[in-house]
Amino acid sequence: MAQEFDAKLVEEARKARQRAYAPYSNFKVGAALRTKSGKVFRGGNVENISIGLTICAERSAAVTAVAAGEMDWEEIAVVADTTRPTSPCGACRQFLAEFNPDLKVVVANQTEVFYTVTVAELLPKAFDNDTYKSQSKN
Ligand code: THU
């Protein structure tokens, strides 16, 4: 049984998944990010023929929120059509941690919710701003 999660946000991520652009992998992912002010930003993965330029659904939703000036985030739902949980990749964990390590991450598929974790749980001992600022002066 997944921890508490926002069922509407999961539905938003399922809708976002429909707009994913994944012609190369055919692996569509949707994400929906809710801010503390209650706004929701959707994103889907956007692939590219050069493959390495692909942007994941989570970062797609994240940059959409930042572009709207919304950087105070509470929860993100991630949806793929897999029988096992599709958890955010390493790059997305770092990207989300920039704005809120305590961000709640809900991992789901088309019909069920697998689990809820925080970004900090997904990315322990992260490289963060406090570390950056702690560089010795020389
Ligand atoms: N992908 C995401 O969008 N989010 C994830 O959490 C895992 C992977 C995308 C990247 C690529 O377009 C496709 O899924 C296959 O890796």
Side-chain angles (χ1 to χ4, degrees):
M1 174 71 186
Q3 278 167 262
E4 229 178 84
F5 61 90
D6 178 348
K8 275 179 154 170
L9 197 66
V10 173
E11 277 312 312
E12 288 284 324
R14 288 181 180 134
K15 283 184 191 144
R17 186 179 168 274
Q18 292 169 11
R19 294 216 175 137
Y21 174 75
Y24 306 109
S25 71
N26 202 30
F27 190 92
K28 292 187 172 188
V29 185
L33 177 62
R34 198 189 64 246
T35 64
K36 288 182 183 158
S37 62
K39 289 187 186 149
V40 173
F41 295 91
R42 293 183 192 173
N45 51 332
V46 181
E47 297 187 344
N48 186 273
I49 187 60
S50 74
I51 311 301
L53 286 179
T54 291
I55 296 177
C56 294
E58 296 89 327
R59 274 175 289 153
S60 171
V63 297
T64 305
V66 175
E70 297 282 343
M71 284 167 279
D72 217 0
W73 306 342
E74 199 157 52
E75 186 166 340
I76 187 169
V78 183
V79 166
D81 188 15
T82 48
T83 55
R84 289 163 59 94
T86 294
S87 211
C89 78
C92 287
R93 294 174 193 202
Q94 183 72 37
F95 202 89
L96 296 172
E98 175 76 15
F99 298 95
N100 184 9
D102 297 320
L103 182 71
K104 210 194 247 195
V105 181
V106 184
V107 177
N109 68 10
Q110 298 287 63
T111 53
E112 63 179 304
V113 171
F114 294 106
Y115 52 71
T116 302
V117 284
T118 64
V119 168
E121 286 169 327
L122 290 173
L123 190 69
K125 298 187 174 62
F127 175 53
D128 59 12
N129 197 252
D130 289 340
T131 311
Y132 188 74
K133 285 189 297 192
S134 77
Q135 181 179 236
S136 311
K137 308 273 178 281
N138 49 53

